[in-house]
Amino acid sequence: MFFDVSISRRRRLRPASAAAFALGLAAVTGCSSDSGAGDDTVKIGLVASLSGTYKPVGTDLRAGFELYLDTHDNKLGGRKVELIVADEGDGPPTAVPAATKLVKKDKVDALTGLVGGGSVNAVLPLVNQAKIPFLGSNGRPVIKDLEYVWTTSFLSDEPGKAIAPYVKEKVDGPVYAIGPDYQGGYDELRGFTDEFKRVGGELANPDGKTTWTPFPKTTNFMPYFAEIAKTDAKAVYCFYAGKAAIDFAKQYAQSDIADLPLYTAFVTEGSVLQAQGDAAKDIYSVLNYAADLDNAANRKFAADWTAKHDTQPTTYAMASYDAAAVLDTAIADAAKDGDVTPQTINKAIAGLGQIDSPRGAWEFGDKAHSPVQAWYLRQVRPDGNQLANVMVQDLATLGG
């Protein structure tokens, strides 16, 4: 991992076009697939939370992938696509059987999606056994066996790592850390607390450690806010998403600590912002995407998304859109070299260079198979007649 704001700034401003993914696809012909879907068809399996706490996130993952297909004649690599969607639910108990059906019964050529880090870990043995590329499109924990594993989103500790130096600079005093007690929460908060301590920051938590809230059953955060009020905290850092983010933000605005600056990962991202309303105003967040980034690829993506959904696009939708774009190029490259199979698609992904994207240009790192990309500070502010996550500044470039 590394910090380089100058690179981040160049990446954000670099003009990019999603159309670049389609270059040369018309020449793709005649190679067979092992999926049984037909010589000119590829099967893609998408697993996302379409029920439960993270339904808003999973819904955007599905919609982002579908948007790419809708705007590219329902083809990837010049081939027709059969997209098969399955429900991840709230984690491994539902994610594993969903992915198992896609891989073993439907015999998909590639797997994408997965909201939760715990789901990713649970599905990895299936991916490795079947030798099928998994192109994750949400936060992912650090894993050892990467041969068939990629992500177009980020490693789960990166958001906190990216914003920690900024929080240390802006907050005059200790910061209280709080998050959900599951794999994604552990990763997200560890990224912040480790980096915050490294740059000289101090946690306001009485034991110097993150406070964990039971997931997914915690809906009343008021007792936790009362405890924070008893400390000398000058700000709060947290990670929540989906319904938990709505509950957290609304109750925070009504609590005894409402005047403390709130720095977050994901709390205001997506449809939850509309549900939070004025309670979300002024909340800071760190993400690898902001809907108002000024580059050609984002202008097209945001316009296409808004025309279909009448809302601003999210990082979840963007990362899934990029997953489709990566597969578009990889399938085309695999076809040029021979048969299109899960193994040749995976090999082609490994050979991709810089990728143009709505977030700005990025590329897969060799060590983690995750994007080397810019991270941005956003704040909830009025944008016309509604609230939006407005980009404030570059924070860092991370990846590996």
Side-chain angles (χ1 to χ4, degrees):
M1 301 297 179
F2 57 92
F3 285 80
D4 187 340
V5 175
S6 63
I7 292 176
S8 169
R9 190 166 289 115
R10 290 197 301 273
R11 288 181 183 279
R12 176 167 62 86
L13 295 177
R14 181 183 185 274
S17 172
F21 289 112
L23 291 177
L25 300 189
V28 177
T29 58
C31 300
S32 64
S33 167
D34 288 345
S35 69
D39 287 352
D40 61 347
T41 302
V42 290
K43 283 188 176 183
I44 307 297
L46 188 152
V47 188
S49 296
L50 303 177
S51 63
T53 302
Y54 287 152
K55 180 179 178 180
V57 180
T59 300
D60 273 8
L61 291 188
R62 179 180 63 184
F65 201 96
E66 290 175 341
L67 179 65
Y68 190 92
L69 294 180
D70 290 345
T71 54
H72 290 77
D73 197 28
N74 197 47
K75 292 181 178 180
L76 296 177
R79 293 168 178 249
K80 295 177 182 177
V81 174
E82 181 179 351
L83 180 64
I84 308 173
V85 179
D87 186 9
E88 175 185 350
D90 267 332
T94 44
V96 171
T100 300
K101 174 185 176 295
L102 292 175
V103 173
K104 294 190 174 181
K105 181 178 180 181
D106 298 317
K107 298 188 182 302
V108 296
D109 295 296
L111 194 66
T112 188
L114 290 183
V115 172
S119 297
V120 173
N121 278 333
V123 168
L124 286 184
L126 172 69
V127 168
N128 291 325
Q129 181 183 29
K131 301 185 186 306
I132 182 172
F134 165 59
L135 194 60
S137 51
N138 201 41
R140 193 201 75 199
V142 175
I143 59 175
K144 293 182 178 179
D145 190 350
L146 289 166
E147 184 176 2
Y148 290 96
V149 180
W150 311 84
T151 180
T152 57
S153 190
F154 53 87
L155 297 184
S156 298
D157 65 347
E158 290 178 339
K161 186 185 292 286
I163 198 174
Y166 177 87
V167 175
K168 173 61 173 64
E169 177 186 345
K170 295 296 181 179
V171 177
D172 184 18
V175 174
Y176 197 97
I178 183 171
D181 68 343
Y182 72 103
Q183 182 66 55
Y186 302 149
D187 293 338
E188 295 282 352
L189 270 296
R190 185 188 70 251
F192 175 80
T193 56
D194 284 359
E195 184 66 16
F196 190 60
K197 291 175 183 177
R198 189 190 71 80
V199 297
E202 178 187 353
L203 293 183
N205 305 61
D207 59 358
K209 299 179 181 178
T210 298
T211 295
W212 302 110
T213 60
F215 176 86
K217 65 182 181 181
T218 302
T219 57
N220 179 15
F221 292 95
M222 285 300 193
Y224 295 97
F225 298 151
E227 290 301 313
I228 296 174
K230 296 176 184 178
T231 72
D232 58 350
K234 301 301 181 184
V236 174
Y237 179 82
C238 73
F239 156 75
Y240 290 99
K243 184 181 180 301
I246 299 174
D247 294 335
F248 190 95
K250 281 190 169 183
Q251 293 169 31
Y252 193 95
Q254 299 171 352
S255 73
D256 292 339
I257 59 170
D259 60 334
L260 293 183
L262 179 58
Y263 297 91
T264 75
F266 301 97
V267 167
T268 60
E269 181 68 357
S271 60
V272 297
L273 181 57
Q274 284 69 48
Q276 291 160 348
D278 288 342
K281 190 174 181 180
D282 296 329
I283 293 177
Y284 287 98
S285 61
V286 52
L287 269 183
N288 58 347
Y289 175 70
D292 58 344
L293 288 176
D294 187 17
N295 63 62
N298 190 48
R299 288 192 292 273
K300 182 182 186 306
F301 169 66
D304 289 342
W305 176 271
T306 302
K308 187 171 184 178
H309 298 283
D310 197 30
T311 62
Q312 285 194 326
T314 65
T315 189
Y316 315 122
M318 178 277 298
S320 195
Y321 181 91
D322 273 9
V326 166
L327 287 171
D328 194 351
T329 303
I331 291 168
D333 289 348
K336 292 174 185 176
D337 295 335
D339 288 349
V340 174
T341 68
Q343 291 76 37
T344 61
I345 294 172
N346 191 68
K347 181 180 179 181
I349 293 174
L352 295 178
Q354 192 175 73
I355 297 164
D356 287 334
S357 164
R359 79 189 83 175
W362 63 272
E363 60 187 331
F364 286 115
D366 293 333
K367 293 182 179 180
H369 286 186
S370 64
V372 179
Q373 63 186 330
W375 287 87
Y376 308 108
L377 179 72
R378 303 111 46 89
Q379 187 181 33
V380 177
R381 300 174 180 175
D383 181 18
N385 60 359
Q386 62 182 0
L387 293 174
N389 290 292
V390 177
M391 213 280 280
V392 177
Q393 69 175 66
D394 294 4
L395 288 173
T397 295
L398 300 179

PDB file of all heavy atoms in Angstrom, residues 71-99:
ATOM      1  N   THR A  71     -26.131  -1.134 -22.211  1.00  0.00           N
ATOM      2  CA  THR A  71     -25.520  -0.122 -23.073  1.00  0.00           C
ATOM      3  C   THR A  71     -24.471  -0.724 -24.009  1.00  0.00           C
ATOM      4  O   THR A  71     -23.800   0.008 -24.732  1.00  0.00           O
ATOM      5  CB  THR A  71     -24.872   0.984 -22.215  1.00  0.00           C
ATOM      6  OG1 THR A  71     -23.964   0.396 -21.272  1.00  0.00           O
ATOM      7  CG2 THR A  71     -25.936   1.775 -21.462  1.00  0.00           C
ATOM      8  N   HIS A  72     -24.343  -2.059 -24.008  1.00  0.00           N
ATOM      9  CA  HIS A  72     -23.397  -2.736 -24.894  1.00  0.00           C
ATOM     10  C   HIS A  72     -24.065  -3.914 -25.606  1.00  0.00           C
ATOM     11  O   HIS A  72     -23.449  -4.963 -25.829  1.00  0.00           O
ATOM     12  CB  HIS A  72     -22.157  -3.201 -24.115  1.00  0.00           C
ATOM     13  CG  HIS A  72     -21.275  -2.087 -23.664  1.00  0.00           C
ATOM     14  ND1 HIS A  72     -21.596  -1.291 -22.577  1.00  0.00           N
ATOM     15  CD2 HIS A  72     -20.102  -1.599 -24.156  1.00  0.00           C
ATOM     16  CE1 HIS A  72     -20.648  -0.371 -22.416  1.00  0.00           C
ATOM     17  NE2 HIS A  72     -19.743  -0.532 -23.355  1.00  0.00           N
ATOM     18  N   ASP A  73     -25.336  -3.733 -25.959  1.00  0.00           N
ATOM     19  CA  ASP A  73     -26.065  -4.702 -26.786  1.00  0.00           C
ATOM     20  C   ASP A  73     -26.111  -6.091 -26.151  1.00  0.00           C
ATOM     21  O   ASP A  73     -26.147  -7.102 -26.848  1.00  0.00           O
ATOM     22  CB  ASP A  73     -25.428  -4.781 -28.182  1.00  0.00           C
ATOM     23  CG  ASP A  73     -26.340  -5.420 -29.220  1.00  0.00           C
ATOM     24  OD1 ASP A  73     -27.571  -5.319 -29.066  1.00  0.00           O
ATOM     25  OD2 ASP A  73     -25.812  -6.034 -30.176  1.00  0.00           O
ATOM     26  N   ASN A  74     -26.098  -6.141 -24.802  1.00  0.00           N
ATOM     27  CA  ASN A  74     -26.131  -7.394 -24.045  1.00  0.00           C
ATOM     28  C   ASN A  74     -25.028  -8.362 -24.490  1.00  0.00           C
ATOM     29  O   ASN A  74     -25.232  -9.569 -24.557  1.00  0.00           O
ATOM     30  CB  ASN A  74     -27.498  -8.082 -24.161  1.00  0.00           C
ATOM     31  CG  ASN A  74     -27.697  -9.127 -23.078  1.00  0.00           C
ATOM     32  OD1 ASN A  74     -27.440  -8.869 -21.900  1.00  0.00           O
ATOM     33  ND2 ASN A  74     -28.140 -10.316 -23.453  1.00  0.00           N
ATOM     34  N   LYS A  75     -23.846  -7.797 -24.753  1.00  0.00           N
ATOM     35  CA  LYS A  75     -22.718  -8.624 -25.170  1.00  0.00           C
ATOM     36  C   LYS A  75     -21.477  -8.300 -24.344  1.00  0.00           C
ATOM     37  O   LYS A  75     -21.277  -7.167 -23.922  1.00  0.00           O
ATOM     38  CB  LYS A  75     -22.404  -8.404 -26.654  1.00  0.00           C
ATOM     39  CG  LYS A  75     -23.465  -8.927 -27.600  1.00  0.00           C
ATOM     40  CD  LYS A  75     -23.076  -8.708 -29.053  1.00  0.00           C
ATOM     41  CE  LYS A  75     -24.125  -9.274 -30.000  1.00  0.00           C
ATOM     42  NZ  LYS A  75     -23.754  -9.074 -31.427  1.00  0.00           N
ATOM     43  N   LEU A  76     -20.650  -9.312 -24.136  1.00  0.00           N
ATOM     44  CA  LEU A  76     -19.319  -9.153 -23.556  1.00  0.00           C
ATOM     45  C   LEU A  76     -18.329  -9.856 -24.454  1.00  0.00           C
ATOM     46  O   LEU A  76     -18.515 -11.030 -24.798  1.00  0.00           O
ATOM     47  CB  LEU A  76     -19.254  -9.748 -22.140  1.00  0.00           C
ATOM     48  CG  LEU A  76     -20.124  -9.101 -21.054  1.00  0.00           C
ATOM     49  CD1 LEU A  76     -19.999  -9.871 -19.734  1.00  0.00           C
ATOM     50  CD2 LEU A  76     -19.742  -7.642 -20.853  1.00  0.00           C
ATOM     51  N   GLY A  77     -17.300  -9.157 -24.877  1.00  0.00           N
ATOM     52  CA  GLY A  77     -16.336  -9.748 -25.788  1.00  0.00           C
ATOM     53  C   GLY A  77     -16.935 -10.145 -27.114  1.00  0.00           C
ATOM     54  O   GLY A  77     -16.452 -11.071 -27.771  1.00  0.00           O
ATOM     55  N   GLY A  78     -17.994  -9.444 -27.514  1.00  0.00           N
ATOM     56  CA  GLY A  78     -18.650  -9.740 -28.781  1.00  0.00           C
ATOM     57  C   GLY A  78     -19.604 -10.908 -28.720  1.00  0.00           C
ATOM     58  O   GLY A  78     -20.193 -11.296 -29.736  1.00  0.00           O
ATOM     59  N   ARG A  79     -19.807 -11.485 -27.547  1.00  0.00           N
ATOM     60  CA  ARG A  79     -20.678 -12.653 -27.391  1.00  0.00           C
ATOM     61  C   ARG A  79     -21.917 -12.306 -26.569  1.00  0.00           C
ATOM     62  O   ARG A  79     -21.862 -11.487 -25.661  1.00  0.00           O
ATOM     63  CB  ARG A  79     -19.918 -13.789 -26.692  1.00  0.00           C
ATOM     64  CG  ARG A  79     -18.802 -14.347 -27.551  1.00  0.00           C
ATOM     65  CD  ARG A  79     -17.879 -15.242 -26.745  1.00  0.00           C
ATOM     66  NE  ARG A  79     -16.850 -15.779 -27.625  1.00  0.00           N
ATOM     67  CZ  ARG A  79     -16.769 -17.062 -27.982  1.00  0.00           C
ATOM     68  NH1 ARG A  79     -17.641 -17.934 -27.505  1.00  0.00           N
ATOM     69  NH2 ARG A  79     -15.822 -17.465 -28.805  1.00  0.00           N
ATOM     70  N   LYS A  80     -23.007 -12.957 -26.897  1.00  0.00           N
ATOM     71  CA  LYS A  80     -24.234 -12.775 -26.126  1.00  0.00           C
ATOM     72  C   LYS A  80     -23.997 -13.253 -24.693  1.00  0.00           C
ATOM     73  O   LYS A  80     -23.222 -14.173 -24.446  1.00  0.00           O
ATOM     74  CB  LYS A  80     -25.375 -13.567 -26.752  1.00  0.00           C
ATOM     75  CG  LYS A  80     -25.767 -13.090 -28.141  1.00  0.00           C
ATOM     76  CD  LYS A  80     -26.867 -13.967 -28.726  1.00  0.00           C
ATOM     77  CE  LYS A  80     -27.221 -13.521 -30.142  1.00  0.00           C
ATOM     78  NZ  LYS A  80     -28.251 -14.402 -30.756  1.00  0.00           N
ATOM     79  N   VAL A  81     -24.685 -12.618 -23.773  1.00  0.00           N
ATOM     80  CA  VAL A  81     -24.499 -12.928 -22.353  1.00  0.00           C
ATOM     81  C   VAL A  81     -25.773 -13.507 -21.752  1.00  0.00           C
ATOM     82  O   VAL A  81     -26.870 -12.971 -21.951  1.00  0.00           O
ATOM     83  CB  VAL A  81     -24.103 -11.666 -21.568  1.00  0.00           C
ATOM     84  CG1 VAL A  81     -24.046 -11.957 -20.072  1.00  0.00           C
ATOM     85  CG2 VAL A  81     -22.751 -11.142 -22.051  1.00  0.00           C
ATOM     86  N   GLU A  82     -25.605 -14.598 -21.037  1.00  0.00           N
ATOM     87  CA  GLU A  82     -26.667 -15.121 -20.190  1.00  0.00           C
ATOM     88  C   GLU A  82     -26.272 -14.806 -18.750  1.00  0.00           C
ATOM     89  O   GLU A  82     -25.358 -15.422 -18.195  1.00  0.00           O
ATOM     90  CB  GLU A  82     -26.848 -16.627 -20.376  1.00  0.00           C
ATOM     91  CG  GLU A  82     -27.985 -17.197 -19.521  1.00  0.00           C
ATOM     92  CD  GLU A  82     -28.199 -18.689 -19.702  1.00  0.00           C
ATOM     93  OE1 GLU A  82     -27.588 -19.271 -20.622  1.00  0.00           O
ATOM     94  OE2 GLU A  82     -28.962 -19.273 -18.907  1.00  0.00           O
ATOM     95  N   LEU A  83     -26.930 -13.810 -18.170  1.00  0.00           N
ATOM     96  CA  LEU A  83     -26.635 -13.401 -16.796  1.00  0.00           C
ATOM     97  C   LEU A  83     -27.576 -14.122 -15.841  1.00  0.00           C
ATOM     98  O   LEU A  83     -28.795 -14.000 -15.949  1.00  0.00           O
ATOM     99  CB  LEU A  83     -26.803 -11.890 -16.647  1.00  0.00           C
ATOM    100  CG  LEU A  83     -26.523 -11.311 -15.254  1.00  0.00           C
ATOM    101  CD1 LEU A  83     -25.059 -11.505 -14.872  1.00  0.00           C
ATOM    102  CD2 LEU A  83     -26.902  -9.831 -15.192  1.00  0.00           C
ATOM    103  N   ILE A  84     -27.003 -14.868 -14.910  1.00  0.00           N
ATOM    104  CA  ILE A  84     -27.791 -15.611 -13.932  1.00  0.00           C
ATOM    105  C   ILE A  84     -27.511 -15.012 -12.555  1.00  0.00           C
ATOM    106  O   ILE A  84     -26.377 -14.991 -12.100  1.00  0.00           O
ATOM    107  CB  ILE A  84     -27.432 -17.109 -13.945  1.00  0.00           C
ATOM    108  CG1 ILE A  84     -27.511 -17.659 -15.382  1.00  0.00           C
ATOM    109  CG2 ILE A  84     -28.373 -17.891 -13.024  1.00  0.00           C
ATOM    110  CD1 ILE A  84     -27.011 -19.088 -15.505  1.00  0.00           C
ATOM    111  N   VAL A  85     -28.554 -14.517 -11.905  1.00  0.00           N
ATOM    112  CA  VAL A  85     -28.423 -13.787 -10.641  1.00  0.00           C
ATOM    113  C   VAL A  85     -28.906 -14.647  -9.480  1.00  0.00           C
ATOM    114  O   VAL A  85     -29.934 -15.332  -9.586  1.00  0.00           O
ATOM    115  CB  VAL A  85     -29.220 -12.469 -10.699  1.00  0.00           C
ATOM    116  CG1 VAL A  85     -29.103 -11.711  -9.382  1.00  0.00           C
ATOM    117  CG2 VAL A  85     -28.736 -11.601 -11.855  1.00  0.00           C
ATOM    118  N   ALA A  86     -28.163 -14.611  -8.367  1.00  0.00           N
ATOM    119  CA  ALA A  86     -28.540 -15.366  -7.173  1.00  0.00           C
ATOM    120  C   ALA A  86     -28.422 -14.473  -5.941  1.00  0.00           C
ATOM    121  O   ALA A  86     -27.636 -13.523  -5.921  1.00  0.00           O
ATOM    122  CB  ALA A  86     -27.652 -16.597  -7.018  1.00  0.00           C
ATOM    123  N   ASP A  87     -29.179 -14.783  -4.904  1.00  0.00           N
ATOM    124  CA  ASP A  87     -29.252 -13.966  -3.698  1.00  0.00           C
ATOM    125  C   ASP A  87     -28.225 -14.411  -2.655  1.00  0.00           C
ATOM    126  O   ASP A  87     -28.227 -15.556  -2.216  1.00  0.00           O
ATOM    127  CB  ASP A  87     -30.664 -14.047  -3.106  1.00  0.00           C
ATOM    128  CG  ASP A  87     -30.878 -13.107  -1.937  1.00  0.00           C
ATOM    129  OD1 ASP A  87     -30.000 -12.253  -1.678  1.00  0.00           O
ATOM    130  OD2 ASP A  87     -31.934 -13.211  -1.276  1.00  0.00           O
ATOM    131  N   GLU A  88     -27.355 -13.476  -2.281  1.00  0.00           N
ATOM    132  CA  GLU A  88     -26.347 -13.718  -1.250  1.00  0.00           C
ATOM    133  C   GLU A  88     -26.942 -13.678   0.146  1.00  0.00           C
ATOM    134  O   GLU A  88     -26.398 -14.275   1.089  1.00  0.00           O
ATOM    135  CB  GLU A  88     -25.251 -12.661  -1.384  1.00  0.00           C
ATOM    136  CG  GLU A  88     -24.172 -12.679  -0.334  1.00  0.00           C
ATOM    137  CD  GLU A  88     -23.217 -11.510  -0.487  1.00  0.00           C
ATOM    138  OE1 GLU A  88     -23.279 -10.803  -1.525  1.00  0.00           O
ATOM    139  OE2 GLU A  88     -22.412 -11.291   0.428  1.00  0.00           O
ATOM    140  N   GLY A  89     -28.052 -12.926   0.312  1.00  0.00           N
ATOM    141  CA  GLY A  89     -28.632 -12.751   1.634  1.00  0.00           C
ATOM    142  C   GLY A  89     -27.699 -11.989   2.552  1.00  0.00           C
ATOM    143  O   GLY A  89     -26.994 -11.076   2.127  1.00  0.00           O
ATOM    144  N   ASP A  90     -27.666 -12.370   3.827  1.00  0.00           N
ATOM    145  CA  ASP A  90     -26.845 -11.668   4.809  1.00  0.00           C
ATOM    146  C   ASP A  90     -25.477 -12.282   5.031  1.00  0.00           C
ATOM    147  O   ASP A  90     -24.754 -11.872   5.932  1.00  0.00           O
ATOM    148  CB  ASP A  90     -27.577 -11.599   6.152  1.00  0.00           C
ATOM    149  CG  ASP A  90     -28.390 -10.308   6.295  1.00  0.00           C
ATOM    150  OD1 ASP A  90     -28.006  -9.295   5.687  1.00  0.00           O
ATOM    151  OD2 ASP A  90     -29.405 -10.330   7.008  1.00  0.00           O
ATOM    152  N   GLY A  91     -25.094 -13.286   4.228  1.00  0.00           N
ATOM    153  CA  GLY A  91     -23.759 -13.829   4.413  1.00  0.00           C
ATOM    154  C   GLY A  91     -23.601 -15.266   3.979  1.00  0.00           C
ATOM    155  O   GLY A  91     -24.420 -15.799   3.209  1.00  0.00           O
ATOM    156  N   PRO A  92     -22.561 -15.957   4.458  1.00  0.00           N
ATOM    157  CA  PRO A  92     -22.189 -17.289   3.997  1.00  0.00           C
ATOM    158  C   PRO A  92     -23.305 -18.332   3.969  1.00  0.00           C
ATOM    159  O   PRO A  92     -23.350 -19.123   3.016  1.00  0.00           O
ATOM    160  CB  PRO A  92     -21.075 -17.692   4.981  1.00  0.00           C
ATOM    161  CG  PRO A  92     -20.442 -16.393   5.354  1.00  0.00           C
ATOM    162  CD  PRO A  92     -21.581 -15.405   5.421  1.00  0.00           C
ATOM    163  N   PRO A  93     -24.197 -18.403   4.974  1.00  0.00           N
ATOM    164  CA  PRO A  93     -25.214 -19.458   4.934  1.00  0.00           C
ATOM    165  C   PRO A  93     -26.073 -19.454   3.672  1.00  0.00           C
ATOM    166  O   PRO A  93     -26.552 -20.505   3.240  1.00  0.00           O
ATOM    167  CB  PRO A  93     -26.059 -19.181   6.185  1.00  0.00           C
ATOM    168  CG  PRO A  93     -25.119 -18.498   7.121  1.00  0.00           C
ATOM    169  CD  PRO A  93     -24.262 -17.637   6.238  1.00  0.00           C
ATOM    170  N   THR A  94     -26.294 -18.290   3.096  1.00  0.00           N
ATOM    171  CA  THR A  94     -27.052 -18.211   1.850  1.00  0.00           C
ATOM    172  C   THR A  94     -26.149 -17.989   0.637  1.00  0.00           C
ATOM    173  O   THR A  94     -26.481 -18.400  -0.478  1.00  0.00           O
ATOM    174  CB  THR A  94     -28.101 -17.084   1.912  1.00  0.00           C
ATOM    175  OG1 THR A  94     -27.512 -15.903   2.500  1.00  0.00           O
ATOM    176  CG2 THR A  94     -29.301 -17.494   2.740  1.00  0.00           C
ATOM    177  N   ALA A  95     -24.997 -17.350   0.839  1.00  0.00           N
ATOM    178  CA  ALA A  95     -24.095 -17.071  -0.279  1.00  0.00           C
ATOM    179  C   ALA A  95     -23.495 -18.349  -0.861  1.00  0.00           C
ATOM    180  O   ALA A  95     -23.381 -18.489  -2.083  1.00  0.00           O
ATOM    181  CB  ALA A  95     -22.980 -16.128   0.171  1.00  0.00           C
ATOM    182  N   VAL A  96     -23.099 -19.280  -0.014  1.00  0.00           N
ATOM    183  CA  VAL A  96     -22.438 -20.497  -0.482  1.00  0.00           C
ATOM    184  C   VAL A  96     -23.357 -21.350  -1.355  1.00  0.00           C
ATOM    185  O   VAL A  96     -22.974 -21.732  -2.472  1.00  0.00           O
ATOM    186  CB  VAL A  96     -21.858 -21.303   0.692  1.00  0.00           C
ATOM    187  CG1 VAL A  96     -21.367 -22.672   0.210  1.00  0.00           C
ATOM    188  CG2 VAL A  96     -20.705 -20.543   1.343  1.00  0.00           C
ATOM    189  N   PRO A  97     -24.585 -21.670  -0.913  1.00  0.00           N
ATOM    190  CA  PRO A  97     -25.451 -22.452  -1.810  1.00  0.00           C
ATOM    191  C   PRO A  97     -25.813 -21.715  -3.091  1.00  0.00           C
ATOM    192  O   PRO A  97     -25.960 -22.341  -4.145  1.00  0.00           O
ATOM    193  CB  PRO A  97     -26.694 -22.739  -0.952  1.00  0.00           C
ATOM    194  CG  PRO A  97     -26.632 -21.810   0.197  1.00  0.00           C
ATOM    195  CD  PRO A  97     -25.189 -21.509   0.419  1.00  0.00           C
ATOM    196  N   ALA A  98     -25.931 -20.399  -3.003  1.00  0.00           N
ATOM    197  CA  ALA A  98     -26.239 -19.616  -4.206  1.00  0.00           C
ATOM    198  C   ALA A  98     -25.114 -19.728  -5.224  1.00  0.00           C
ATOM    199  O   ALA A  98     -25.334 -19.972  -6.418  1.00  0.00           O
ATOM    200  CB  ALA A  98     -26.479 -18.154  -3.837  1.00  0.00           C
ATOM    201  N   ALA A  99     -23.871 -19.553  -4.755  1.00  0.00           N
ATOM    202  CA  ALA A  99     -22.717 -19.641  -5.648  1.00  0.00           C
ATOM    203  C   ALA A  99     -22.505 -21.068  -6.140  1.00  0.00           C
ATOM    204  O   ALA A  99     -22.121 -21.298  -7.300  1.00  0.00           O
ATOM    205  CB  ALA A  99     -21.467 -19.139  -4.928  1.00  0.00           C
TER     206      ALA A  99
END
